[in-house]
């Protein structure tokens, strides 16, 4: 049995989007135009659009029209997941490229955030986080040497949280995060393959073990055309 006409039209619209006929963020033609194009009633076209809206491929903007939805990665602020865990939930396999790995004395703001004493050392690691060869995030992480004496370059090419929980045997409780829009520095722009005039999202965070110990301070730089931050607010 042939699929209903509205489903066939929806499939055709999907194919046109995949071919780049309509790009992410662009408006699709009006119902009248589509009904003429597909030789179908406006009711049938409306059903096809409704189906694609429900599937998350299109979005309706009141008083404006219907647009191809931007397929950004949603980062749920209230869910503590590593980048690797977040991507694997989306059936994507991330790659961590180490851009810098050093043993250093941290600057004052990092030392205060990690509650370290004068002279305490940290591992500083800059990682470029990629999916399908596209850089999504540049992460600067500071980890106290006393807590992670065996940290290595090869460990940081994998999941940091996996290493901490499965190999070090520490339980991560929570993370405190602040997200701000910024213009990237030259080196961050280069690592994210964006222009220095392109706004990005910077997230400063520190993470805590179940015993209350702060074990990590990170500055993550997110490519704003690939990422969006979401939260759900409940009315009391």
């Amino acid at each position: 049995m042939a699929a209903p006409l509205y489903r066939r039209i929806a499939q055709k619209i999907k194919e046109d989007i995949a071919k780049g006929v309509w790009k992410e963020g662009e408006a699709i033609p009006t119902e009248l135009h589509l009904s003429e194009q597909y030789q179908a009633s406006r009711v049938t076209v409306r059903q096809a659009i409704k189906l694609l809206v429900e599937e998350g491929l299109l979005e309706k903007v009141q008083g404006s029209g219907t647009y191809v939805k931007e397929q950004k990665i949603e980062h749920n602020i209230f869910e503590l997941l590593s980048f690797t865990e977040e991507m694997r939930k989306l059936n994507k396999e991330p790659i961590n490229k180490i851009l810098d790995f050093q043993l250093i004395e941290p600057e004052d703001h990092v030392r205060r955030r990690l509650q370290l004493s004068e002279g305490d050392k940290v591992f500083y690691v800059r990682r470029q986080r990629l999916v399908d060869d596209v850089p999504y995030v540049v992460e600067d992480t500071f980890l106290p040497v006393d807590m992670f004496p065996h940290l290595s370059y090869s460990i940081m090419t994998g999941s940091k949280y996996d290493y901490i929980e499965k190999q070090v045997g520490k339980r991560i409780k929570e993370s405190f995060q602040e997200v701000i829009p910024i213009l990237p520095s030259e080196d961050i722009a280069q690592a994210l393959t964006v222009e220095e005039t392109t706004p990005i999202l910077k997230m400063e965070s520190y993470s805590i073990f179940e015993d209350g110990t702060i074990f990590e301070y990170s500055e993550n730089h997110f490519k704003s055309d690939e990422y969006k931050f979401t939260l759900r607010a409940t009315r009391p």
Side-chain angles (χ1 to χ4, degrees):
M1 182 183 294
L5 180 57
Y6 79 92
R7 287 190 175 274
R8 282 180 275 147
I9 292 173
Q11 182 59 37
K12 178 59 179 157
I13 293 173
K14 280 185 182 180
E15 291 170 2
D16 285 344
I17 291 171
K19 292 176 189 173
V21 175
W22 306 308
K23 295 179 173 58
E24 290 184 11
E26 287 185 354
I28 66 169
T30 63
E31 288 180 2
L32 178 59
H33 181 96
L34 290 173
S35 66
E36 292 172 352
Q37 180 178 340
Y38 297 121
Q39 297 183 334
S41 70
R42 293 180 65 174
V43 172
T44 301
V45 168
R46 195 171 301 134
Q47 280 182 293
I49 290 172
K50 181 175 181 290
L51 178 63
L52 295 177
V53 168
E54 290 171 352
E55 291 181 3
L57 191 65
L58 300 178
E59 63 180 341
K60 281 184 168 290
V61 178
Q62 187 67 34
S64 179
T66 303
Y67 294 80
V68 180
K69 191 172 183 179
E70 293 181 297
Q71 301 301 310
K72 293 186 178 184
I73 301 296
E74 288 195 33
H75 177 82
N76 185 341
I77 292 175
F78 291 122
E79 189 173 31
L80 181 54
L81 293 175
S82 69
F83 180 79
T84 300
E85 292 167 334
E86 199 166 50
M87 292 302 106
R88 285 176 178 167
K89 279 185 67 176
L90 299 172
N91 296 316
K92 298 176 182 289
E93 190 59 36
I95 293 174
N96 297 316
K97 183 178 179 181
I98 308 297
L99 303 182
D100 201 351
F101 188 102
Q102 296 183 50
L103 180 65
I104 64 170
E105 285 193 23
E107 295 182 9
D108 286 346
H109 77 284
V110 176
R111 181 169 51 80
R112 286 194 301 270
R113 181 59 74 192
L114 290 172
Q115 299 180 356
L116 300 177
S117 300
E118 197 78 42
D120 286 348
K121 299 287 185 68
V122 300
F123 286 109
Y124 161 65
V125 188
R126 170 168 285 184
R127 299 193 292 178
Q128 186 186 45
R129 326 296 299 274
L130 303 102
V131 177
D132 299 328
D133 294 324
V134 176
Y136 278 41
V137 184
V138 173
E139 174 197 74
D140 290 337
T141 297
F142 302 86
L143 297 157
V145 173
D146 287 348
M147 293 186 198
F148 308 104
H150 304 298
L151 191 73
S152 67
Y153 186 103
S154 62
I155 286 170
M156 292 301 287
T157 60
S159 169
K160 174 179 58 185
Y161 281 5
D162 269 1
Y163 166 71
I164 290 171
E165 293 191 319
K166 295 177 182 177
Q167 295 189 45
V168 178
K170 289 286 191 178
R171 181 74 177 168
I172 300 168
K173 180 184 178 184
E174 57 192 353
S175 176
F176 295 85
Q177 307 170 354
E178 179 182 6
V179 181
I180 52 176
I182 63 167
L183 292 176
S185 59
E186 181 180 356
D187 55 338
I188 294 294
Q190 185 176 0
L192 286 175
T193 63
V194 298
E195 301 293 331
E196 290 178 56
T197 54
T198 302
I200 64 170
L201 298 170
K202 179 181 179 182
M203 181 175 73
E204 298 178 3
S205 65
Y206 62 96
S207 302
I208 298 174
F209 289 140
E210 284 195 328
D211 65 4
T213 303
I214 298 173
F215 70 88
E216 170 201 29
Y217 172 70
S218 291
E219 296 179 355
N220 288 276
H221 303 84
F222 293 85
K223 203 170 185 177
S224 57
D225 61 349
E226 303 287 357
Y227 248 91
K228 67 179 178 180
F229 286 74
T230 62
L231 56 84
R232 177 177 295 176
T234 303
R235 185 172 174 82

